[in-house]
Amino acid sequence: MEIIMLKYGEIALKGQNKRTFEEILLKNIRYRLKSLGNFSYSRMQSTVYVEPKSEDIDIGLAVEKLLAVFGIGAIQRSLVIPKDFEIIAKEAAPYLESSLKRAKTFKVEAKRADKRFPMKSPDLQRELGGKILEAYPHLAVDVHDPDVTILVEIRDNGAYINSERITGAGGIPVGSSGKALLLLSGGIDSPVAAYMMAKRGLKVDAVHFESPPYTTERARIKVESLCEKLTAYCSEIKLYCVNFTELQEAISDNSPEEYFTVIMRRLMLKISNRLCDNNDYHALITGESLGQVASQTLSAINCTDKAAAYPVFRPLCGMDKIEITNIARKIGTFEISSLPYEDCCTIFTPRHPKTKPRLIEVEEIEKRFDYEPLIKKAFSEIEIKFFRF
Ligand code: ATP
Ligand code: MG
């Protein structure tokens, strides 16, 4: 039988509240594997043991899904067989084929937790090493710096042969830091921001502003596909779609063109504030990156930030486009984000946006029009959709 061992990442370093993190992690792991069949779960020494309960479970697929679970530092598959040297010797070589074929050197490391096992660890290491050499004559033993270390553990309930350690998603479990609201456009950046903050334990829901008929149904579908993709990391996402048309028209009728973007961004935040008030979100997340475009200069960010009633997390702030794009490719959002359908920002984009807007000026301009009734109306018409992994 093959099992999966999940080693904690950062959680291993937690003190008093380690248990809370462990419980959230375990819940997330169960949720992720639910569709694959029955598993049993146990915990020991900063490791979660995941054991399939039937033969037909696809362990490879389970590992693939677990690779997106934050809080897991490393993943290791392990073959569990009877504690009999003949069996160990027969099973180890074929089980480890893929890593041993690629390697030039190896060593066997044995751990004997069950002292009733008749061979001592050094004997087991030597004897098994011999069998491996017979099966793969191209290999050489190197006890100091081997390409592959074969770890064999003799435990109470069987002998464990461990395969290669795969690096996990890292971070801390989704939900262990609370809930936050992501401003999700259809672009490349904001989905990456969601991934990064989920990695820090936030349960992320999203708000999207659209301006039909200036924006099309396709733009909406694009944002929904992004949410679907993100559930691999975020588990569940609630998406709020706000109709922003009248507000955008009001901005365009009542402010100088160069201020459109910054005022629009501030109104987005004001609506997001209310969503936070009513739904227990304690932070906002955006995909802004310092200096990327005119609306993301320090002055513009300062003006936008002042409209927020909650901390605004901008995890991409210090990253360049190449770094952001690499993550987008890794998490599978890049292709969707690259579809051409425009979101609401592009439509009213000023030809020469103000790169150094001043807050007093912006507030002065905003006073020329009473946005409050339109904000209320947009808020009352919000559409909600759920996405589950
Ligand atoms: P992205 O690639 O995420 O669209 P961007 O580089 O295009 O970002 P902007 O258009 O300036 O940058 O948007 C900055 C941030 O504002 C976005 O990352 C997103 O968090 C938020 N935002 C922009 N447009 C919308 C929208 N239509 N709905 C929700 N949030 C939005
Ligand atoms: Mg955008």
Side-chain angles (χ1 to χ4, degrees), residues 185-190 265 292 296 343 345-346:
S185 68
I188 292 170
D189 303 329
S190 38
R265 205 66 92 223
Q292 197 187 70
Q296 296 174 28
D343 73 1
C345 308
T346 6

Side-chain angles (χ1 to χ4, degrees), residues 5 19 58 60 65-66 82 109-110 151 156 191 198 205 233 241 268 272 279-280 297 312 361 384:
M5 295 191 284
R19 246 205 116 82
D58 184 342
K65 290 185 189 283
L66 292 168
E109 202 178 299
L151 181 61
D156 285 341
D205 285 337
Y233 293 94
C241 287
M268 284 183 180
S272 305
N279 299 280
D280 208 28
T297 60
V312 181
E361 281 166 359
I384 299 176

Side-chain angles (χ1 to χ4, degrees), residues 120-144:
K120 292 209 167 116
S121 297
D123 301 334
L124 177 56
Q125 286 168 191
R126 199 183 50 248
E127 298 283 321
L128 184 60
K131 295 284 183 190
I132 298 286
L133 281 174
E134 274 172 31
Y136 301 98
H138 74 282
L139 285 176
V141 173
D142 180 346
V143 290
H144 301 295

